[in-house]
Amino acid sequence: MAQGSTNAALSPWNVVALDTFQTPERTQASQWRRSWRAATTWMIGKEASERQAKQESELRALPEVKLAHVAPPIDWMPATERLKQALNDYEDAPAVLFISPPYGGHSTVVSQWAAQQDIPCLTVPTLKELVDGSLAWVEDATQLKRWAIPALEYHFLRHTNGLQGVRELLERALSGRLGQSVMGCDSWTYAYLQHAVGLEGVPVLTLQGLEGEQLAHYFSQAAGECPTVYSTRPGKSILTSDSDQKVVFKELQRLTAHCRGHLGIAWHYWRERLREPAEDSDSSDNNGHKRSDKSSDKEDSDTSQELWLLDALAEAELPTDTGDLATLLLHTLLIHGGLEDQALKHVLPFSDHEALNARFALARRGILSSQQGRWQVAPLSYASVRQLLESRNYLVDPL
Amino acid sequence: MIAALAIAVPIIIEPSLRNMVTLLGAIGLAIGFALKDYVSSLIAGVVSAVELPYRPGDWVKIEGTYGEVKHVGMRTVKVQTPDDDLVAVPHLKLWDTAIYNANNGGTSLQCVASFYLHPEHEAGWVRKALRDVALTSAYLKFDEPIIVVAEEKPWGTHYRIRAYPVDPRQQFLFITDLTVRGKAVLSTAGIQPALLPPDAALDARGAAS
């Protein structure tokens, strides 16, 4: 019983109303820390500012097979179940929004929920339909009593015509003329549509932000047989159950605070930063001599589950003098949940080639990544991009 | 120079006490007049440090000079105009000139984009369309209101979008973006611009400013 309640408390799948969402403890401290790290790196150099218990050169990336075992893709089905339960409280609401930040899984969760309930999902309008202000895709919903949209961000453009469809849809849906609906929506799109269309009174659900302990619990459970993971900074174990709880909190709390409690982003950090000891350092002693095969085999079996987590904050940082063009592009991509290259000219006040050049430059530096042809802020850059946009007074998401 | 004066003055003027007092008084008066504005600016500089009529980053208009305050010195305030000229305006303007500060130490600076339309159009639609133009601008600051003002004139209707850019430095790009996209939307909808008689054009310019 006690075990059950502990597991419930450590579950990362708490679906809550938006106004009860909380970022993890030390989120603000994480932002200050990032600024402090940038300043010290600038003053004393990168190497001196990163004194680590284990050097990156002694480690190597995990093979894809091992990575898939240790950090498998997030299974969003528990979140779908929790959403299903949460929706019971909103049976009378004509429309419910489920929002999450980029990589937060809202699209998958709503798709899975719709499939479970045998509810049809509206088709995503084409770029041409959005630019022309076509309402044909909205009419599809008029025939349905219940429907879902997994990703509302793909149903609008920040363009005078591109707003017409989503405005029409939301006006009809919120007034109850289109039956009942559940819409997945990117948190940035939600922030924008709140101003552009008005979403007052709509129930908005989201996944509660995770604390470090919940994150440790999730990563341990996801890996099946819990590996021993050390942090390269203090060199202490951060996942094993017998480790000092304060260390668990400190390291993974830092990670979750950096990710604002979002599992999707934290998972990308986890996956990208996991390392295993390099073969050379395993099979050589301090003088560089090869160990005997026997002792090497023993050592291999001991360290097969020994993993290291590189410093979570070593990421593609944006320089403080990032220009307006890049800033506007990043903000636009976030508001749309990612965009194809062809769409950029419709939503940015620049010429086609200026927008593309800016996109190329950001992609080269690892700030952007492409998923199914849509360019979006890369998961490891999300925190710094959000901080930059917030510091420059751009509209940011509520999560 | 001083030695030359010390030799020359007694030759020209008798060095009596009365003459010396008169001479030094005249010199003091001349220097006082010459430095009047300088000293006034220094005192105004102290007053500006207390009253803060402008700060670095503010967009101000002082006697026809509009631009961003780059530096507030002891005697002058340096304003960078949109044409990239750096204008040094003496603080003494504080005493008798109106100082327009568009953002007053903050980041909210209202911009106005004007549209002059033929009287025959559906005003309600235009109002909504122009609001959407502002809402879809990449430069828009969402914390501040968007207001579309319509004013009927003998030659047609004068619309103004009043909105705020994210950064005051983007004001000209923001107005340009609103104007370009607003024109495109109105043109696509078949709404004709007003054909203004010359005197109405002058009147409209005055109203816009």
Side-chain angles (χ1 to χ4, degrees), chain A residues 32-203:
Chain A
W32 291 336
R33 190 175 184 281
R34 197 153 57 239
S35 305
W36 173 247
R37 282 285 300 278
T40 50
T41 302
W42 179 74
M43 284 190 289
I44 62 175
K46 191 170 182 181
E47 285 182 13
S49 72
E50 291 177 357
R51 287 194 197 91
Q52 299 190 335
K54 189 87 168 176
Q55 291 305 313
E56 194 169 344
S57 57
E58 299 171 45
L59 303 168
R60 66 174 182 191
L62 269 65
E64 201 57 44
V65 177
K66 191 168 182 180
L67 197 57
H69 176 70
V70 176
I74 297 172
D75 175 13
W76 294 101
M77 192 50 89
T80 306
E81 292 298 329
R82 297 301 285 266
L83 175 67
K84 186 177 148 189
Q85 290 168 18
L87 287 174
N88 291 334
D89 296 337
Y90 299 97
E91 281 178 345
D92 296 333
V96 177
L97 283 172
F98 178 66
I99 68 170
S100 76
Y103 310 99
H106 59 271
S107 172
T108 310
V109 169
V110 174
S111 297
Q112 288 175 346
W113 174 83
Q116 271 186 356
Q117 307 290 313
D118 203 18
I119 288 175
C121 293
L122 294 195
T123 51
V124 176
T126 62
L127 177 62
K128 187 174 185 314
E129 279 180 304
L130 290 173
V131 172
D132 292 345
S134 166
L135 300 181
W137 63 272
V138 181
E139 297 302 327
D140 291 348
T142 57
Q143 320 293 329
L144 306 168
K145 284 187 179 172
R146 295 181 79 193
W147 49 274
I149 290 180
L152 188 61
E153 59 271 24
Y154 299 157
H155 292 251
F156 92 105
L157 268 188
R158 191 183 59 193
H159 179 271
T160 45
N161 286 341
L163 273 184
Q164 304 312 320
V166 75
R167 181 175 280 156
E168 185 72 22
L169 178 85
L170 289 172
E171 278 175 6
R172 289 195 207 175
L174 302 188
S175 64
R177 283 181 283 154
L178 291 181
Q180 282 194 309
S181 58
V182 173
M183 291 176 261
C185 185
D186 187 284
S187 54
W188 290 76
T189 305
Y190 169 76
Y192 177 72
L193 291 180
Q194 234 187 341
H195 288 277
V197 179
L199 296 169
E200 287 81 17
V202 188

